[in-house]
């Protein structure tokens, strides 16, 4: 007689997969990738390639030779994604060896030490970036001016909008803010900065794509952006030395962080309520660091801080169970 | 359009047999009647080897209040009273009847004429419930809860609405859909009978709008019954879950267990049950046959059968063109909540709404990957639970935490596992946790 | 000078307040602890190995006291201290020492892949309880070992494993402490704690199938069919038959091995006996299945990695 398979229900599956989600995010990053190539040319290409290749290599090598895992998670796209995001968070003139160190820290320390995919408490790409930021502050904060398509390490550098904002606050002089580029060029990406963060428009396109394909839900990005907008608006109205909220939204890594870094599955809370709390907190911390802190940018720190709170949020933000209302 | 509030998923519908009319299934050579075709105490056999039976002869009587009698659906001789592995996968006592001819008990009205409620104004609610009880009608949607129990509300509760479940949210299955298209008048009389039995004046029939023809026909026919309303519902699984349906139709939430639908004033019955009730009360016909969908992508001709209870599944499959070569799994019921069968000798029982043949490729589960904490299971859970957490707490035997997180509220609909991108077998673990926690709760209550 | 005085006074007040709060708290939130718990804990080895299944020696002491209040220390054993320590514990708690013979967990199923054909393939979480929910599992036997290793997962001592060749659980007698965790876990109640017997020798019915003979016979070559031949053969009335299943009472069994010969299905096994000399006598029972019994406890096979089954957990 024929042997049937027996298993418990459900017997069908949605065919959704880890790969589909990870590569979906990668596809969502394509507009930003194109934008970075348009603005930084060769430099962007070298940095991104180096970052992705290094991340994938470290993931494979650590899984195979150190952890001796049965099957590696290289093919599921999570390492490619980490590599892309790490690259997006770096200036386009960063020397290769620094990038490789960043990738090693991101994958090795940020992800694999905790047991690989799904186990890491912190966003690996951000662990890599913050490690580089505190280890190589000079290289990490000299951003080339966009438009130098063939220059790599010899690219001319300039102050970013964030540095201008910080300067205005330090000087207490609102006229410093006139040095900021106009809104249109900030939206499209005619400013200095890390690779992936220059074009807010490209990032928003990616966000819309992810929302449409239901890779992520709106809770985290919207709550971060709304919080930042409201809070910086309050500051701006109270004192004109603080930049206007639209400039704050479009400058620095805020868009990239809100759309792609904070929404990382593994390190963000599970329930919608928790996700909103997480998003609002990230927005608050970012604005506070940007306004009162020593660093011009606070997005990566804000996300990492809230990553640490994720288990706590998960523990306390329970979804409302069916029928709970009538229990009272 | 109405639907339930929390979670839900959209599996591919695959209603392959929606256009095939209900066909009378061939009589088997031997019919097997499990005494365990319902929830509650098994029925007690009252026949012995060699007894001659007709269609409608009592084979086993109900043993207690939560139980149901079993009637013969064929005529012939009792071959033996033994045991068989039934659709549950367990060996259960069963009565084997060798079929000879097709002779019906005289008391059964086999004519096709419609008997309306107005034709029988003398029927009292007590009589209706008694007839349903005697006919052995159980929930035909698959839950197989004895029908008369639901129609006898416990003291202190009052039914306000009767809700008929014609959602058929399981992919593949079309039995209820076809029944509505072919027996709409009988169903409506059945609904009216249920309403009279529990003494309510408002009835709803919830139908998902992937069955527009059924909605149209039922609305047309229900025009004659002002107290019955047809409610089209947005397509979403698991709308056919009792609690989900109640919320979708009347917007009330049934509290967490041990509360039951009657606590919010609702009595829910399946549309197939309504039809069975009509036949039991108006035609004096015990539950001896039911509509069952035999379907599957590799099956030659997916069909809806009106099959006698006790017919072996293999007979039905042969009538559909035989078991395909590449069969990997045979499921009794739908793909989301059905039970995989061990062999094809399993007989059709009162709760068999479908038989699904899956090929080898469809049948295997995907390789399990690490949880990426994407929270899709949380979003899909119609009960507002956190499946990822319940699965892990169960796997680590942390029963206390599982209980705190309301594991007993799980309705085992499978939405979480269906949606998981990592192919995690969430529901397997949750089931273990749920049954353990329920055992612990029972033990605690027993101590008190 | 003034400064020092102020500092002293302030610190003194803080100290006093803190002391008062602590005193109040210790009175208010005091937890009564049975003095016997610390007495019992003292005689325990204080290895805090957790081998007993409780969190450390004090946890075990608490459990012992509770068990003694309920009337029996049965099943409580400190694997490090052994019987000697348990005797001292029992004397502290005023219990009579249960000088029972050392026990061992016995898997009462011999439904190997060869004996018991697989009629289905199970897909899902490797847990006996999940397999049980699908019905009879991979085989047609509704009583036998499911082979998913729930017992392996609960064993603290790595004394039980699923033999990949036979597909059923196997106990390593050297490591088994008869703690009973596997007995409680097994959803089919196949594992039983039985006295080890002299030199570890014992007779066991390796089957728990309570189906009728015909059914049991069909699903497994090594099943007990309840024929009762062993009952008739046994000169000591040690074997009873209930619901189609034979059971050997270890107290009455004198290890004569007559039942082993009588069993037509080799469901009764003699464990740890020296190999029998081949007898030319007319014997009906085929000796083919025997060597398996003798080699059962030879632990040459690689020790199971303890995590083997836990990965699924």
């Amino acid at each position: 007689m024929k042997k049937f398979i027996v298993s418990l229900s459900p017997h069908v599956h949605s065919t959704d997969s880890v790969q589909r989600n990870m590569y979906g995010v990668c596809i969502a990053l394509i507009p930003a990738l194109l934008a970075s190539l348009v603005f930084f040319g060769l430099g962007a290409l070298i940095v991104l390639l180096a970052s992705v290749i290094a991340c994938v290599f470290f993931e494979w090598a650590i899984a195979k030779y150190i952890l001796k895992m049965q099957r590696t998670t290289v093919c599921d796209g999570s390492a490619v994604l980490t590599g892309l995001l790490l690259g997006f968070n770096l200036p386009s003139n960063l020397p290769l060896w620094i990038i490789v160190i960043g990738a090693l820290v991101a994958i090795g320390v940020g992800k694999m030490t905790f047991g690989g995919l799904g186990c890491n408490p912190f966003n690996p790409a951000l662990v890599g970036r913050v490690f580089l930021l505190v280890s190589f502050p000079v290289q990490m904060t000299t951003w080339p001016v966009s438009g130098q398509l063939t220059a790599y390490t010899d690219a001319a550098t300039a102050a970013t909008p964030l540095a201008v904002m910080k300067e205005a606050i330090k000087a207490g002089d609102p006229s410093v803010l006139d040095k900021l580029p106009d809104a249109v060029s900030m939206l499209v990406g005619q400013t200095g900065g890390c690779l992936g963060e220059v074009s807010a428009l490209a990032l928003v396109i990616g966000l819309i794509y992810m929302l449409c394909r239901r890779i992520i839900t709106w809770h985290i990005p919207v709550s971060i952006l709304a919080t930042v907008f409201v809070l910086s608006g309050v500051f701006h109205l109270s004192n004109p030395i603080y930049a206007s909220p639209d400039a704050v939204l479009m400058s620095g890594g805020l868009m990239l962080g809100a759309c792609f870094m904070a929404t990382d599955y593994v390190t963000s809370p599970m329930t919608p309520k928790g996700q909103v709390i997480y998003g609002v907190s990230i927005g608050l911390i970012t604005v506070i660091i940007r306004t009162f802190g020593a660093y011009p940018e606070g997005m990566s720190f804000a996300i990492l801080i809230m990553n640490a709170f994720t288990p706590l949020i998960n523990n306390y933000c329970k979804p409302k169970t069916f029928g709970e209302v009538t229990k009272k | 359009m109405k639907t339930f509030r929390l979670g839900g998923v959209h599996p591919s519908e695959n209603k392959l047999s929606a256009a095939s009319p209900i066909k009378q299934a061939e009589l088997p050579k031997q019919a097997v009647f499990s005494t365990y075709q319902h929830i509650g105490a098994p029925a007690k056999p009252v026949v012995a080897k060699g007894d001659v039976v007709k269609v409608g002869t009592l084979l086993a009587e109900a043993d207690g209040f939560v139980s149901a009698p079993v009637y013969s659906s064929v005529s012939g001789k009792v071959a033996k009273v033994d045991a068989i592995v039934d659709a549950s996968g367990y060996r259960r006592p069963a009565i084997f009847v060798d079929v000879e001819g097709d002779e019906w008990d005289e008391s059964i009205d086999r004519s096709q004429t419609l008997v309306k409620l107005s034709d029988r104004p003398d029927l009292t609610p007590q009589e209706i419930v008694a007839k349903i009880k005697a006919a052995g009608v159980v929930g035909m949607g698959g839950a197989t809860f004895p029908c008369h129990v639901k129609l006898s509300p416990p003291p202190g509760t009052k039914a306000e609405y009767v809700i008929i479940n014609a959602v058929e949210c399981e992919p593949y299955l079309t039995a209820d859909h076809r029944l509505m298209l072919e027996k709409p008048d009988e169903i409506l009389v059945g609904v009216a009978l249920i309403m009279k039995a529990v003494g309510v004046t408002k009835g709803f029939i919830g139908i998902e709008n992937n069955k527009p023809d059924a909605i149209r026909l039922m609305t047309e026919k229900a025009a004659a019954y002002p107290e019955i309303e047809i409610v089209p519902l947005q397509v979403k699984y698991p709308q056919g879950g009792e609690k989900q349906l109640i919320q979708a139709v009347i917007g009330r939430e049934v509290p967490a267990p041990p509360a039951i639908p009657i606590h919010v004033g609702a009595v829910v019955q399946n549309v197939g049950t309504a039809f069975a009730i009509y036949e039991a009360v108006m035609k004096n016909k015990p539950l001896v046959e039911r509509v069952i969908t035999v379907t599957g992508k590799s099956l030659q001709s997916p069909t809806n059968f009106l099959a006698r209870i006790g017919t072996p599944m293999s007979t039905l499959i042969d009538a559909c063109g035989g078991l395909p070569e590449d069969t990997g799994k045979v499921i009794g019921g739908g793909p989301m909540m059905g039970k995989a069968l061990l062999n094809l000798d399993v007989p059709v029982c009162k709760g068999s709404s479908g038989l699904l043949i899956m090929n080898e490729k469809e049948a295997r589960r995907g390789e399990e990957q690490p949880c990426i904490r994407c929270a899709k299971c949380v979003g899909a859970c119609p009960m507002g639970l956190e499946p990822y957490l319940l699965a892990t707490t169960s796997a680590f035997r942390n029963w206390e935490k599982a209980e705190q997180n309301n594991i007993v509220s799980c309705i085992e609909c499978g939405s979480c596992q269906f949606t998981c991108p990592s192919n995690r077998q969430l529901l397997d673990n949750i089931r273990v946790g749920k049954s353990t926690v329920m055992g612990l709760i029972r033990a605690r209550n027993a101590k008190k | 000078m003034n400064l020092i005085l102020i500092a002293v006074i302030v610190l003194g007040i803080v100290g006093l307040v803190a002391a008062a709060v602590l005193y109040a708290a210790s009175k208010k939130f005091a937890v009564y602890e049975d003095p016997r718990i610390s007495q019992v804990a003292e005689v325990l080895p204080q290895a805090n190995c957790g081998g007993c299944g409780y969190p450390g020696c004090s946890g075990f002491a608490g459990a012992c006291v509770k068990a003694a209040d309920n009337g029996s220390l049965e099943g409580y054993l400190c694997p490090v201290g052994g019987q000697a320590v348990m005797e001292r514990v029992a004397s502290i708690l005023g219990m009579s020492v249960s000088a029972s013979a050392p026990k061992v967990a016995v898997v009462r199923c011999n439904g190997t892949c060869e004996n018991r054909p697989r009629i289905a393939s199970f897909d899902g979480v490797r847990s006996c309880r999940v397999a049980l929910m699908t019905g009879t599992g991979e085989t047609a036997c509704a009583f036998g070992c499911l082979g998913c290793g729930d017992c392996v997962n609960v064993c603290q001592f790595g004394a039980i494993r699923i033999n990949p060749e036979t597909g059923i659980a196997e106990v390593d007698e050297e490591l088994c402490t008869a703690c009973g965790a596997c007995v409680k876990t097994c959803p089919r109640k196949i594992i039983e704690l039985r006295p080890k017997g002299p030199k570890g020798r014992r007779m066991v019915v390796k089957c728990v199938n309570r189906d009728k003979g015909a059914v049991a016979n069909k699903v497994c070559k090594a099943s007990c069919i309840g024929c009762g031949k062993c009952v008739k053969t046994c000169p000591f009335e040690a074997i009873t038959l209930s619901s189609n299943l034979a059971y050997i009472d270890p107290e009455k069994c004198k290890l004569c091995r007559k039942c082993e010969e009588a069993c037509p299905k080799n469901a009764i096994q003699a464990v740890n006996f020296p190999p029998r000399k081949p007898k030319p006598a007319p014997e009906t029972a085929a000796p083919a299945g025997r060597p398996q019994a003798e080699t059962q406890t030879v632990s040459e096979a690689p020790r199971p990695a303890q995590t083997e089954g836990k990965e699924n957990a």
Side-chain angles (χ1 to χ4, degrees):
Chain A
M1 201 184 78
K2 201 173 158 56
K3 258 211 243 176
F4 293 143
I5 299 168
V6 289
S7 59
L8 297 180
S9 66
H11 305 284
V12 281
H13 190 260
S14 59
T15 68
D16 194 0
S17 66
V18 175
Q19 278 91 329
R20 181 186 163 275
N21 287 294
M22 292 300 171
Y23 287 117
V25 180
C26 293
I27 292 169
L29 282 169
I30 285 177
L33 179 83
L34 292 177
S36 70
L37 290 180
V38 168
F39 298 126
F40 299 109
L42 182 67
L45 193 66
I46 293 173
V47 171
L48 282 174
L49 273 181
S51 167
V52 171
I53 291 171
C55 278
V56 173
F57 171 75
F58 285 129
E59 167 119 359
W60 171 79
I62 293 173
K64 180 139 194 205
Y65 293 107
I66 298 180
L67 297 181
K68 302 205 166 41
M69 288 163 119
Q70 293 285 316
R71 51 185 287 277
T72 59
T73 43
V74 170
C75 301
D76 62 27
S78 59
V80 175
L81 184 59
T82 304
L84 267 180
L85 286 174
L86 177 66
F88 275 8
N89 272 300
L90 303 173
S92 65
N93 60 349
L94 204 64
L96 275 181
W97 61 275
I98 296 186
I99 300 174
V100 172
I101 291 176
L104 179 62
V105 174
I107 294 291
V109 178
K111 184 174 173 189
M112 300 309 274
T113 40
F114 298 100
L117 180 65
C119 304
N120 47 307
F122 299 103
N123 187 329
L126 279 180
V127 171
R129 172 189 145 91
V130 168
F131 177 82
L132 295 183
L133 189 65
V134 291
S135 309
F136 308 100
V138 179
Q139 289 92 328
M140 285 293 288
T141 50
T142 47
W143 286 283
V145 182
S146 69
Q148 309 171 71
L149 293 182
T150 52
Y152 175 38
T153 44
D154 52 346
T157 60
T160 61
L162 280 179
V164 175
M165 291 177 196
K166 201 87 206 177
E167 198 189 326
I169 296 168
K170 271 189 195 146
D173 180 6
S175 64
V176 179
L177 287 174
D178 296 341
K179 280 195 263 174
L180 278 181
D182 62 292
V184 175
S185 64
M186 277 175 79
L187 183 67
V188 179
Q190 300 288 341
T191 57
C194 290
L195 277 186
E197 53 188 46
V198 290
S199 173
L201 186 66
L203 293 167
V204 171
I205 293 173
L207 173 68
I208 292 170
Y209 172 79
M210 286 198 293
L211 289 176
C212 288
R213 275 194 67 190
R214 304 197 178 193
I215 294 171
I216 57 167
T217 54
W218 57 269
H219 303 87
I220 295 174
V222 170
S223 58
I224 294 178
L225 297 176
T227 310
V228 170
F229 188 83
V230 170
L231 201 61
S232 57
V234 170
F235 279 128
H236 180 66
L237 291 178
S238 66
N239 192 339
I241 61 165
Y242 301 113
S244 66
D246 56 319
V248 173
L249 272 192
M250 287 184 289
S251 60
L254 191 84
M255 275 290 174
L256 182 65
C259 302
F260 292 96
M261 314 289 280
T263 54
D264 173 39
Y265 283 149
V266 181
T267 55
S268 60
M270 303 291 271
T271 60
K273 199 165 62 177
Q275 288 174 348
V276 170
I277 293 175
Y278 170 84
V280 169
S281 309
I282 288 177
L284 283 176
I285 299 173
T286 306
V287 175
I288 289 169
I289 294 179
R290 279 191 180 186
T291 318
F292 306 110
Y295 281 97
E297 175 59 301
M299 196 64 197
S300 0
F301 295 111
I303 295 175
L304 285 178
I305 290 169
M306 287 318 292
N307 282 170
F309 278 98
T310 297
L312 197 67
I313 295 175
N314 278 339
N315 202 23
Y316 286 105
C317 286
K318 294 290 169 195
K320 207 175 83 193
T321 313
F322 187 96
E324 215 178 324
V325 201
T326 38
K327 217 194 262 176
K328 278 178 210 166
Chain B
M1 195 161 296
K2 286 181 177 176
T3 188
F4 58 97
R5 181 172 61 94
L6 285 170
V9 289
H10 296 94
S12 334
E13 287 171 14
N14 284 318
K15 304 269 190 190
L16 308 171
S17 51
S20 102
I22 298 174
K23 205 168 118 187
Q24 181 75 47
E26 220 178 296
L27 280 177
K29 286 198 179 64
Q30 187 180 53
V32 185
F33 304 90
S34 166
T35 57
Y36 230 124
Q37 300 188 38
H38 49 264
I39 290 176
K44 258 199 313 216
V46 293
V47 289
K49 185 178 170 181
D51 285 5
V52 176
V53 296
K54 288 184 198 169
V55 179
T57 307
L58 184 70
L59 292 179
E61 62 184 12
D63 191 13
F65 182 63
V66 185
S67 183
V70 176
Y71 290 89
S72 176
S73 66
V74 291
S75 60
K77 227 183 218 155
V78 176
K80 57 179 173 176
V81 179
D82 197 9
I84 191 171
V85 175
D86 70 1
S88 68
Y90 301 105
R91 187 175 298 280
R92 261 125 188 221
I95 298 150
F96 295 68
V97 178
D98 286 328
V99 181
E100 284 162 27
D102 191 20
E103 211 177 312
W104 287 60
D105 200 281
E106 294 76 27
S107 60
I108 299 169
D109 174 9
R110 294 183 67 192
S111 65
Q112 291 297 316
T113 43
L114 182 71
V115 186
K116 286 197 184 135
L117 194 56
S118 49
D119 303 336
R120 298 283 306 275
D122 54 311
L123 276 173
T124 63
Q126 288 75 19
E127 268 175 327
I128 297 174
V129 175
K131 276 204 153 167
I132 292 170
K133 187 175 173 185
V137 180
V138 301
M140 309 273 279
T144 66
F145 195 75
C147 196
H148 63 273
V149 182
K150 271 195 188 175
L151 298 183
S152 323
T157 55
K158 171 89 187 76
E160 291 170 61
Y161 303 106
V162 165
I163 300 173
I164 299 300
N165 182 352
V167 167
E168 203 155 54
C169 58
E170 279 271 7
Y172 289 96
L173 303 191
T174 56
D176 290 352
H177 182 187
R178 290 309 307 180
L179 191 67
M180 279 189 282
L181 290 180
E182 293 177 31
K183 308 274 182 197
D185 296 308
E186 286 86 346
I187 290 169
L188 286 164
V189 175
V191 178
L193 281 170
I194 299 172
M195 286 162 62
K196 185 155 184 191
V198 290
V200 305
T201 49
K202 188 77 197 157
F204 298 96
I205 302 181
I207 310 175
E208 277 191 351
N209 72 340
N210 57 358
K211 298 179 263 294
D213 46 352
I215 296 176
R216 214 176 312 121
L217 184 69
M218 292 299 282
T219 315
E220 209 174 279
K221 299 277 186 186
Y225 299 84
E227 69 283 1
I228 298 176
E229 190 185 324
I230 309 294
V231 187
L233 299 165
Q234 204 178 309
V235 179
K236 192 157 83 168
Y237 178 86
Q239 193 130 245
E242 208 168 44
K243 295 177 174 185
Q244 276 65 35
L245 185 68
I246 294 171
Q247 203 207 10
V249 175
I250 60 171
R252 295 186 187 173
E253 283 190 16
V254 181
I260 49 172
I262 192 73
H263 289 136
V264 294
V267 171
V268 182
Q269 291 291 356
N270 181 270
V271 65
T273 318
F275 180 68
I277 286 174
Y278 163 79
E279 292 205 312
V281 179
M282 297 306 199
K283 300 280 187 183
N284 215 12
K285 180 176 159 190
L287 185 54
V288 293
E289 52 188 6
R290 68 155 297 141
V291 183
I292 173 170
T293 306
V294 181
T295 181
K297 280 180 188 159
S298 12
L299 202 63
Q300 215 173 52
S301 51
T303 319
N304 301 296
F305 286 109
L306 181 65
R308 300 284 171 88
I309 283 162
T311 310
M313 295 293 188
S314 49
T315 316
L316 298 181
I317 292 176
D318 289 342
C320 289
L323 193 70
E325 271 296 298
D326 59 350
T327 304
K329 204 190 257 182
V330 179
I331 299 160
M336 292 300 283
M337 290 188 79
K339 187 136 189 173
L341 301 182
L342 285 164
N343 59 51
L344 296 178
D345 301 331
V346 170
V348 173
C349 64
K350 292 178 182 177
S352 309
S353 50
L355 185 69
L356 171 61
I357 318 280
M358 284 179 120
N359 62 36
E360 195 80 44
K361 216 171 115 231
E362 290 172 295
R364 281 271 165 218
R365 286 185 180 176
E367 194 190 0
E368 207 169 1
Q369 282 170 295
C371 172
I372 53 168
R373 308 175 70 75
C374 64
K376 287 191 180 180
C377 54
V378 179
C381 181
M383 295 306 288
L385 305 173
E386 294 174 280
Y388 79 98
L389 187 68
L390 298 179
T392 5
T393 48
S394 301
F396 286 108
R397 295 159 192 276
N398 192 346
W399 313 127
E400 208 174 305
K401 196 168 179 195
E403 191 180 344
Q404 280 163 14
N405 284 288
N406 300 319
I407 197 166
V408 289
S409 290
C410 173
I411 56 168
E412 303 180 21
C413 66
S415 299
C416 48
Q417 193 169 324
F418 171 81
T419 197
C420 180
S422 293
N423 284 317
R424 294 193 71 76
Q425 306 173 78
L426 298 163
L427 192 52
D428 282 13
N429 281 322
I430 294 176
R431 278 199 178 100
V432 170
K434 185 182 165 188
S435 66
T436 311
V437 169
M438 280 169 71
L440 291 174
I441 292 174
R442 267 198 301 275
R444 220 164 39 213
N445 289 345
K447 239 183 220 172
K448 270 180 201 165
Chain C
M1 192 59 211
N2 210 2
L3 208 67
I4 293 171
L5 202 65
I6 291 171
V8 168
I9 291 169
V10 169
L11 276 179
I13 291 171
V14 170
L16 275 176
V17 171
V21 169
L22 279 176
Y23 177 77
S26 78
K27 280 285 164 210
K28 173 122 175 100
F29 302 113
V31 179
Y32 169 75
E33 203 198 55
D34 198 320
R36 290 177 298 167
I37 292 178
S38 57
Q39 286 173 9
V40 171
E42 263 167 37
V43 302
L44 292 174
Q46 294 301 333
N48 284 321
C49 63
C52 49
Y54 294 91
C57 291
S58 61
F60 181 62
C64 285
V65 171
K66 212 171 166 187
D69 288 345
N70 288 337
S72 164
L73 277 174
E74 187 84 23
Y76 289 81
L77 179 73
C78 171
V80 178
Q83 197 66 28
V85 161
M86 288 318 290
E87 273 166 25
R88 292 178 65 189
V89 170
S91 69
I92 289 172
L93 297 174
M95 304 291 294
S96 59
V97 191
S98 56
S100 59
K103 288 188 170 181
V104 70
V106 173
V107 180
R108 292 180 294 165
C109 176
N110 195 21
T112 56
C113 301
E114 213 174 277
N115 287 337
R116 190 172 50 151
R118 267 52 181 164
I119 56 155
S121 80
F122 171 67
D123 191 11
V125 171
R126 292 298 292 180
S127 155
C128 301
R129 296 192 51 195
V130 175
L132 191 69
M133 281 183 215
T134 62
T136 56
E138 292 201 315
T139 70
C141 178
F143 298 90
C145 179
L146 291 157
C148 291
D150 279 9
C151 49
V152 179
N153 287 344
V154 294
C155 185
Q156 303 271 341
F157 310 98
I160 200 161
R161 65 163 193 155
I162 301 293
N163 186 331
E165 268 164 44
T166 59
I168 52 178
E170 221 175 66
V171 177
D172 184 331
E173 287 185 22
E174 305 267 300
L175 295 174
C176 179
T177 61
C179 67
C182 50
V183 177
K184 274 182 224 149
T185 300
C186 180
R188 282 189 159 169
K189 308 280 170 241
I190 292 165
I191 308 176
E192 187 197 3
L193 290 183
R194 286 179 78 91
K196 267 192 174 166
K199 292 187 196 163
R201 292 176 186 176
R202 58 185 173 269
M203 303 298 293
V204 184
V205 179
K206 280 269 196 175
C207 184
V208 289
N209 195 317
R210 284 186 291 279
D211 269 331
K212 278 185 202 159
V215 177
N217 189 30
K218 207 167 134 196
V219 298
C220 179
K221 280 186 207 155
S223 59
C224 171
I225 51 172
C227 64
K229 279 190 183 156
C230 50
V231 180
K232 283 178 209 136
T233 313
C234 184
F236 310 103
E237 296 183 340
I239 306 180
T240 47
L241 193 68
S242 71
S243 45
N244 307 311
L245 180 64
Y247 180 79
I248 301 176
D249 186 340
E251 306 290 321
K252 293 183 188 163
C253 177
K254 299 279 189 287
L255 307 177
C256 69
R257 299 182 76 179
K258 288 207 173 107
C259 49
E260 187 193 8
E261 281 162 33
C263 183
K265 293 207 67 188
N266 285 327
I268 298 179
Q269 284 191 354
V271 185
N272 290 338
F273 284 87
R276 201 175 265 208
K277 284 182 209 112
K279 246 194 283 179
E283 203 177 319
T284 42
R290 299 258 174 73
Q292 224 173 3
E294 274 101 24
T295 53
Q296 192 218 5
T297 51
V298 179
S299 50
E300 275 169 4
R303 190 61 50 71
Q306 215 180 329
T307 50
E308 201 174 22
K310 284 187 182 162
E311 273 164 30
N312 297 325

